[in-house]
Amino acid sequence: ILRQLLGEFPAVAIHLPRVRELARRHRQLSIVLDHGARPDIAAGQWQPWAADVAALAHDAPNVVCKLSGLLTEAGSLAAPPPPGAVQRWAAHLLNTFGAQRLLWGSDWPVLELAADFARWRRDTQSLLAPLNESDREAVLGANARRIYQRAG
């Protein structure tokens, strides 16, 4: 039964060690980490988030991560995120989880609290530009179809 279960975790950075332990104990459970564990990008938070994300990706192959929600963590309409504000965090998610374990999401309509959909789409295209077409397709849709079909 656990082979067919999928857990979506709207974790924040402080929850990453617990998600890692759960994933290690229940390797047959597929886990989707929402919004990259919502690092506080506006405050420049890097550690321990970066180390904990890397440890989770390394130790728990049953965890995939949504590339979403980062612009919302980087600013607001009152203080819009500057161009490239999420690049460091998004690149870290791509580098640690890899293209086959990253799922793109729009975070719409919550995204509208910080930026519009076109901005997030442009930022995503820039991040994924160095990838080959197959890896870009994986992040932008194929991974989600694979993960959610397996659980359905």
Side-chain angles (χ1 to χ4, degrees), residues 13 15 18 27-28 32 34 39 55 65 69-70 78-79 90 93 99 108 110 146 150:
H15 298 140
R18 289 191 174 118
R27 293 204 182 267
Q28 65 275 46
V32 178
D34 284 342
C65 182
L70 299 181
L93 293 173
W108 187 90
V110 177
R146 175 177 47 87
R150 182 173 60 208

Side-chain angles (χ1 to χ4, degrees), residues 53-139:
V53 161
L56 177 63
H58 179 267
D59 294 346
N62 52 322
V63 175
V64 297
C65 182
K66 280 190 185 173
L67 179 63
S68 64
L70 299 181
L71 276 175
T72 309
E73 298 303 320
S76 66
L77 289 178
V86 303
Q87 176 66 29
R88 182 181 186 197
W89 288 264
H92 186 63
L93 293 173
L94 179 59
N95 290 334
T96 55
F97 282 96
Q100 299 306 311
R101 292 172 55 207
L102 204 60
L103 291 72
W104 183 84
S106 69
D107 196 32
W108 187 90
V110 177
L111 169 69
E112 298 283 331
L113 295 172
D116 62 19
F117 179 82
R119 159 80 187 275
W120 177 231
R121 187 74 175 157
R122 282 191 309 273
D123 286 359
T124 300
Q125 294 299 333
S126 175
L127 173 72
L128 301 181
L131 300 180
N132 64 47
E133 184 177 343
S134 176
D135 284 347
R136 277 192 308 275
E137 288 175 4
V139 173

